[in-house]
Amino acid sequence: MAWKSERCKSRKKNKSLYGRSQSIHFYDDIDTQSCEKWDEEWEMKQDIQSQWDQIHQAIRQNNVGQLNDLLPPINLYNSKEKYWSNNFYRWKYISGEDILLKAINLQHSDCIDVILNKIYYEDLPPNIVNYIHPRNGQSPLAIACERNDMNLVRKLVERGHASAALCKAFFIAFEGGNEALMNYLAARCDVRQEDHLGRTALDCVINAGYMDTAKTLICHGEIGRNRDGFSALMLVAHHNLSLLVDLLFERLPLQEAVDELVLLACHYTITGDVQNRQKAFDFFVQGVNKEESREPTILHKAAECRQECQTLDQLLAIRDDDNAMRTHALLASERILLRLGDVDLLLKFIYRQCNVYRRNHLFYRSLQLRIHAHQIAVSTQIDYDVLFNWHRSHFHELITDLSGTCNETGIVPIYSIEIVTAWLLDEGMYHNIWRIFEFLATIVNMFKTVKMNNYERRSLLANARRIVQNKTMKYSFLIYYIRVYANNSSVHELPIFNVSTLSVIHLLILCGANVNEIDTDWSFTRPLHMIARCSNIDIAKPIIQLLHAQGAHADCIDSRGNLPEDLALEPTVKEFLHSQTAFRYDPSVPAASIFLGVFFLATICHIYQLIRYKTFYLIPIVICGIAEVVGYATRLASRQNPYNISLYSAQYAFLVLAPIFLAASVYIILAKWIAIVFVICDIISFIIQIIGAIILLNRNNSNNLNIGKNILLAGLVIQVVTFIFFIICAIHFDIVATKSGKNDGKWKWLMRTLYIACALILIRSIFRVIEFSEDNTGYLQTNEWPIYIFDALLIFISTILFNIIHPGRCLKINEDTSTNISVNSNKNQINSIPNVSTK
């Protein structure tokens, strides 16, 4: 602080010695004013600290006269205040040792008297006497009780107006066993306070046998219920303290006292207290006799539809029936506690009865009783926090009751499920995501274990969808479930049953969970990113397969640009994720590039030859070449982005369907009348293969895979059969033409080219049939070289053969005349050889 003062003085000196501009003088004036103000505050704080140091020194030295003169300290900030109450006092001394607490610790009784007199005459703030040390929790009254100093306790309470309830001085006196001190405090403390064990003052003194103190507590305060729900009358009646029972009967209205005894009987009956069974029955009898008229109460059907006993004869009739007595106790407790407004205690009674039903495997009754408790809580507008805590603490039991009810009755309790769904959609319960997952797992178990009709199935799914599709949830259900459950185990464990995590994930997807949803709280991850972190391939594999089957994008990236396989820690998981790309092998770039080039050159040649020889009937072979070029171009693009299903689908469709156009050209070359028949068959095969390819490449549904594969396989089989028949016709045609002597050299070479092309196309088609007959793990599906040998190479040879031996050079075209062939099968003669028309 000295250095700052020196700096301010130096700044003043510099201002007088040096001349500056007007703007500089302005800022110097501001700095000078702030320094002067700081100096004044610092000097004032020094004076304040000096005052309080003198006060504390007087207490340490037990100098009563000096302490009396120093108190109250002068308030330098506000002279109008009678005593010191500024923020500096609170900051410096309230957070440390208080003057009264210091005097008590030093046991300077004269200084204590001076301080208490100042408090009594309002020269010091009254909160000094209730000050609690922030470190050890000590207070003046607590220290006095610990020392059993009755005189000091009286001074603090009577002169200083100390609050006994604030420091729980009564419990300190009780632990010290000072009955006189307890009696003194009992008449002044708040008897509803509890100690650190949750015991009330009356609990403590009755259990310890301090009857006089108990009587004082009863006479000088309204005693509430303890943590077990016992009122003062229930507590003394439970301990058979007849004198205190009579005292309470005198102080309480008669009906209220009888109701308290009936509640004690309900407690004995519901908890199954055999030792107090007779006492409970006697209390029930008093309740029947004392209350002359009341409306009969009917409990929910979970309690077997019994009514509360109205007469002594009815009570005697069920005396030996434990279940009936419990039902009577529930009815009586509900009637009394609803009248008193103590719903919290009523819920505790119902919870205990539910436990009885569960022990006897009566899950349906337990479930209905819990639903009844919920209806009571809602209808009485119970405090929201109490209701929320009750639901949260009993949710496990509720799930157990739901499952047990399904197993017990074989039916789905739709009404109960709707109520549970409403609980979960509540603003407080909805964010407890573990409860939601337990409920969804229970629904999965119902689907697997209960034979339900369509209405029950639709109702279950509708309730599950209400939860999953709720927009107020800040989490992604699917990602969060995979992270919390599926990454660690394949089993979702619940109290009385287990379900697979895979089935819960399937339910989430069925209810509308997006398999490509982005979770902004987790680096923009998606479900595939999350399951990729799983260290167990047996757990991860079926979930990855399910996500892929439902349309999950394998090429998705997170905020750091990572693919799912980049996040895999386990090599087997990483390898499996990589195998789930569109290609089940690493496509060869050189091979695709080579065939792209050669097909491009062959197609250019065909376009030139088509224009030169005007063989426009060979347009299909040009289309075949173009399709092959586009197919291998998109294959190269798909190789660079193996997770792009669109590119993979495009190259797949072009390469599989291109040879159909080559086959059509072969049909047309032979003869027009033959071409019409086989081109129609080729078109049918083409349409079937197109439909199969579209279905097969639609991976949003796993069922489409087998359907699409079978349709595509059927189209290929039709193509093979058609081609076999065509080859037979071509051979027959060639034989007839040769025998007639009209098969010249050019026609002969063209026929040989047709035979080679037909053989190559047939081999290629048979190869594709075998390929599609395999599953995804077959050799032809997981290796690339057969595609280039048995498809690309064969189609290229066929294409290039027609470049070398082009039909336009081999056939003489005569547009004006044409002859017909009539084959006499009996004479085996040819009337004429047809000319090929360009039309």
Side-chain angles (χ1 to χ4, degrees), residues 333-394:
S333 61
E334 180 176 333
R335 172 179 53 82
I336 295 171
L337 292 174
L338 286 179
R339 186 169 61 192
L340 297 176
D342 195 348
V343 182
D344 189 19
L345 181 57
L346 176 57
L347 295 180
K348 292 179 180 178
F349 279 146
I350 294 177
Y351 174 67
R352 290 167 183 165
Q353 180 61 28
C354 289
N355 288 339
V356 174
Y357 283 140
R358 290 181 60 200
R359 285 196 299 267
N360 296 327
H361 299 285
L362 299 174
F363 295 104
Y364 176 72
R365 296 192 183 282
S366 177
L367 175 63
Q368 295 302 317
L369 199 55
R370 291 185 196 278
I371 300 300
H372 179 60
H374 170 76
Q375 293 171 333
I376 291 175
V378 172
S379 62
T380 55
Q381 297 181 347
I382 190 175
D383 183 70
Y384 175 79
D385 292 335
V386 175
L387 180 62
F388 174 73
N389 292 330
W390 192 82
H391 286 162
R392 183 175 59 181
S393 59
H394 298 160

Side-chain angles (χ1 to χ4, degrees), residues 614-761:
K614 297 182 181 181
T615 52
F616 298 108
Y617 58 88
L618 293 180
I619 288 177
I621 200 170
V622 175
I623 296 176
C624 173
I626 294 173
E628 293 284 353
V629 171
V630 175
Y632 285 107
T634 52
R635 187 177 182 86
L636 288 173
S638 181
R639 166 63 177 79
Q640 300 301 321
N641 192 358
Y643 294 99
N644 192 320
I645 300 299
S646 298
L647 286 176
Y648 174 80
S649 303
Q651 65 88 26
Y652 189 89
F654 280 114
L655 295 180
V656 169
L657 301 176
I660 294 178
F661 296 97
L662 179 61
S665 297
V666 172
Y667 299 150
I668 295 172
I669 289 171
L670 184 59
K672 186 175 181 180
W673 69 274
I674 298 178
I676 294 175
V677 177
F678 288 104
V679 167
I680 292 174
C681 295
D682 206 38
I683 292 174
I684 294 173
S685 172
F686 175 76
I687 294 173
I688 293 175
Q689 291 185 57
I690 281 288
I691 295 173
I694 292 173
I695 296 176
L696 181 64
L697 297 175
N698 182 14
R699 299 190 174 189
N700 291 333
N701 191 335
S702 59
N703 295 328
N704 288 346
L705 296 177
N706 292 329
I707 297 174
K709 183 180 293 185
N710 293 332
I711 294 176
L712 190 56
L713 184 61
L716 287 170
V717 170
I718 293 174
Q719 182 181 354
V720 170
V721 173
T722 303
F723 223 74
I724 291 174
F725 277 107
F726 173 77
I727 292 173
I728 295 172
C729 293
I731 294 173
H732 175 72
F733 184 89
D734 192 23
I735 293 173
V736 173
T738 301
K739 289 181 179 181
S740 67
K742 296 183 180 182
N743 190 355
D744 58 7
K746 291 184 178 181
W747 179 262
K748 183 177 181 180
W749 279 106
L750 181 59
M751 289 301 299
R752 299 301 177 264
T753 302
L754 286 176
Y755 289 151
I756 296 173
C758 289
L760 295 178
I761 295 173

Side-chain angles (χ1 to χ4, degrees), residues 319-333:
R319 181 174 184 175
D320 297 328
D321 188 344
D322 291 338
N323 290 330
M325 288 298 295
R326 286 196 183 94
T327 303
H328 173 74
L330 273 179
L331 292 164
S333 61

